[in-house]
Amino acid sequence: QVQLVESGGALVQPGGSLRLSCAASGLTFGSFYSMGWYRQSPGMERELVADIRTAGDTTNYADSVKGRFTISRDNDKNTLYLQMNSLKTEDTAVYYCHANSLGTTWENYWGQGTQVTVSS
């Protein structure tokens, strides 16, 4: 059974930094096609923040976070990270870890989410 567990969400002032972590179990990173971070604010749809392909480490970022956020992973620890710098109030959301794999069909996995609040 695949599990994704996020941590690192907190209340931070504008301009501050946070690092989110997502610990994966049940499958090794090499079994995933891609992993990423999504976020959802109240009344808004869930949106992609950043993702990384397992093969080749290709990364993709939402325009709103380019230059401020960095996605990375530690294969030995089976952990995905999101380093968030220069945080803005509009970054406030629940952040979700996501992974997918391809067997006979696509499988999608989600974590439970971690709250990030940017406020003075």
Side-chain angles (χ1 to χ4, degrees):
Q1 181 181 359
V2 176
Q3 283 193 317
L4 303 175
V5 180
E6 304 99 332
S7 61
L11 170 64
V12 63
Q13 292 188 340
S17 297
L18 278 177
R19 189 176 80 158
L20 305 183
S21 300
C22 171
S25 61
L27 280 178
T28 60
F29 271 15
S31 299
F32 295 127
Y33 177 78
S34 69
M35 299 189 72
W37 292 94
Y38 286 71
R39 66 186 181 187
Q40 188 169 20
S41 305
M44 304 293 287
E45 292 190 355
R46 192 171 296 187
E47 63 174 357
L48 175 68
V49 176
D51 65 15
I52 182 168
R53 298 288 175 87
T54 300
D57 277 346
T58 303
T59 57
N60 176 50
Y61 294 92
D63 288 342
S64 59
V65 307
K66 282 180 181 176
R68 300 188 299 121
F69 291 10
T70 303
I71 189 170
S72 64
R73 61 181 187 176
D74 185 328
N75 290 340
D76 292 337
K77 295 182 179 179
N78 244 29
T79 301
L80 182 74
Y81 300 102
L82 184 67
Q83 178 66 43
M84 305 186 294
N85 299 327
S86 302
L87 282 161
K88 305 176 180 180
T89 55
E90 51 263 43
D91 294 319
T92 295
V94 178
Y95 284 72
Y96 296 91
C97 180
H98 171 263
N100 58 18
S101 64
L102 180 60
T104 55
T105 61
W106 282 103
E107 296 287 344
N108 287 283
Y109 310 100
W110 293 93
Q112 82 286 351
T114 186
Q115 176 71 47
V116 172
T117 302
V118 185
S119 174
S120 54

